[in-house]
Amino acid sequence: MNEFHLTEDQQDCLQELINIAMGQASDQLARYLDTFVYLKVPSIESVEAKDLMKTLSQQKNTMAVVSQGFFGYEGIRGESLLVYQEEDSGRIADLLGYEPDELSQDEQLIDISSILTTTFLNVFAQQIDNRLSYNAPKLLPNVQEILSEHLQQMPFTWELALKVNINYQVTDYSFNCNMILLIPETAITNIKHVLDRILEEY
Amino acid sequence: MSPSVLICDDSNMARKQVLRSLPEEWKDSVQIACNGAEALTILRDNSIEILFLDLTMPGIDGIGVLQGIQKLKLNCSVFVISADIQPEMQNKVKALGAKEFMRKPVQADALLNNLQLHGLL
């Protein structure tokens, strides 16, 4: 049994907190793109460190990964990874509609990732009575060795990751991106306590 | 007399949030649906006066339920409670006949105010 094993009620509570965070992140994305974002129920699962490394290294149609660290009170900290498929990052650039030399595709991807990550995490943190600060987002080059090196060089030990599978459909376009939250054990224990506290209110 | 109420949301916690916001004397006449299909069945077979409806649900979503209500020509006051707060979505549900849109997590005073606004309280 892993640290993130949740009871049915805890799972339902976490899913609802994530839905609310996701809804606001999508609203920000929609405003940024000046369009409507079609929202689906995001699926969540927890992944062990070694399995995550394996999954990420097996995704051969190389992707872009934008990584951003976050930290709050009471041991809440982690790293958010937004994982894009290669074919999708081009579509996102189309959507953004910048003049080609105004902002590079990389910069656009970093922008959009940071909007999604910080809005999502701010709303999530608010609901669990926490407040987060962020490091600057970083786009990792499409090289597997660099990705695994990056994952191994986190400033904290993470045994588990919370994987939130998000699918965005933006008008005629659709793109998938996975938000992967790498969370150390202390933060996981803290989140579970907060979930229990919320559940006690009902 | 307390009105017949249906709460439709795939999240147990979200359903409880609505339930605990309602006037105490209503609580015995509240029915629950965990998805859009269940809601439509209950709406068809019972005369429901007030529906609290989530939007993002697997299968038939909130939009599907609103369309079903129009098709069945049901006379039911619908209050949408959703995490999808995009202005376009709020306009869409109102165009489909919803009385009000409330963002999640729903607050008791907002919910009661809206019921009052529509003469249901």
Side-chain angles (χ1 to χ4, degrees):
Chain A
M1 184 173 313
N2 67 42
E3 281 308 314
F4 215 88
H5 180 80
L6 299 174
T7 65
E8 201 180 316
D9 280 345
Q10 286 171 333
Q11 175 87 25
D12 175 65
C13 181
L14 179 65
Q15 176 82 48
E16 188 61 11
L17 300 184
I18 285 177
N19 288 351
I20 291 170
M22 212 54 261
Q24 298 206 19
S26 303
D27 182 52
Q28 286 304 315
L29 180 67
R31 285 166 198 270
Y32 189 77
L33 299 175
D34 197 20
T35 183
F36 181 76
V37 177
Y38 181 76
L39 206 59
K40 282 189 195 162
V41 183
S43 69
I44 50 176
E45 56 179 320
S46 61
V47 200
E48 283 186 45
K50 58 176 190 328
D51 295 333
L52 181 68
M53 300 292 276
K54 210 191 292 171
T55 327
L56 286 178
S57 61
Q58 275 167 357
Q59 289 181 343
K60 283 297 174 218
N61 45 343
T62 32
M63 60 230 149
V65 177
V66 179
S67 187
Q68 189 165 16
F70 57 92
F71 44 97
Y73 313 134
E74 296 174 53
I76 294 272
R77 71 180 306 180
E79 184 86 11
S80 154
L81 303 176
L82 279 183
V83 184
Y84 300 91
Q85 301 304 311
E86 182 63 17
E87 67 265 25
D88 283 339
S89 50
R91 273 187 216 157
I92 295 161
D94 287 347
L95 265 176
L96 289 170
Y98 284 113
E99 292 299 318
D101 356 295
E102 201 177 315
L103 210 52
S104 73
Q105 190 169 311
D106 286 358
E107 286 170 315
Q108 293 171 29
L109 204 55
I110 291 173
D111 268 6
I112 218 172
S113 300
S114 197
I115 291 174
L116 288 174
T117 301
T118 56
T119 311
F120 179 91
L121 288 172
N122 281 343
V123 177
F124 185 76
Q126 211 176 359
Q127 296 180 93
I128 61 168
D129 294 329
N130 213 301
R131 185 192 286 268
L132 300 176
S133 306
Y134 302 91
N135 296 326
K138 228 182 334 192
L139 177 71
L140 305 179
N142 287 339
V143 181
Q144 287 305 337
E145 298 81 66
I146 293 178
L147 179 61
S148 35
E149 206 175 289
H150 177 73
L151 289 178
Q152 276 155 7
Q153 281 175 351
M154 289 293 146
F156 53 85
T157 326
W158 58 279
E159 293 80 16
L160 275 163
L162 185 63
K163 191 168 156 194
V164 185
N165 199 322
I166 308 161
N167 175 277
Y168 284 111
Q169 290 182 0
V170 183
T171 56
D172 303 339
Y173 300 90
S174 79
F175 69 92
N176 292 286
C177 91
N178 279 314
M179 178 183 279
I180 298 172
L181 303 174
L182 309 179
I183 307 170
E185 200 180 316
T186 45
I188 292 169
T189 313
N190 178 293
I191 291 171
K192 281 165 77 172
H193 285 316
V194 180
L195 293 178
D196 286 337
R197 204 168 69 214
I198 296 171
L199 286 164
E200 267 171 32
E201 290 173 25
Y202 293 96
Chain B
M1 210 182 92
S2 42
S4 56
V5 175
L6 175 63
I7 301 172
C8 175
D9 198 304
D10 55 331
S11 161
N12 182 30
M13 186 174 85
R15 292 194 299 269
K16 284 181 178 169
Q17 276 170 336
V18 177
L19 190 61
R20 74 169 185 173
S21 305
L22 295 176
E24 204 52 48
E25 60 274 19
W26 285 21
K27 291 182 181 169
D28 294 335
S29 58
V30 171
Q31 296 190 65
I32 295 293
C34 303
N35 55 57
E38 267 182 45
L40 283 174
T41 309
I42 295 172
L43 286 162
R44 199 178 304 131
D45 302 340
N46 302 263
S47 89
I48 298 292
E49 291 159 80
I50 301 172
L51 166 64
F52 296 102
L53 179 66
D54 180 28
L55 291 179
T56 316
M57 293 183 286
I60 298 178
D61 61 9
I63 296 295
V65 174
L66 285 168
Q67 287 164 340
I69 289 171
Q70 285 195 328
K71 203 174 287 174
L72 296 165
K73 297 191 168 59
L74 299 173
N75 186 16
C76 163
S77 300
V78 185
F79 295 87
V80 168
I81 301 174
S82 175
D84 190 348
I85 56 169
Q86 297 175 71
E88 196 173 328
M89 187 52 110
Q90 301 192 27
N91 294 336
K92 188 173 181 183
V93 298
K94 286 197 179 153
L96 284 167
K99 296 275 187 218
E100 294 293 340
F101 179 96
M102 288 176 261
R103 62 162 60 194
K104 282 185 167 185
V106 72
Q107 305 296 320
D109 48 356
L111 188 143
L112 296 174
N113 279 343
N114 277 325
L115 287 173
Q116 219 154 21
L117 191 68
H118 292 277
L120 296 163
L121 194 66

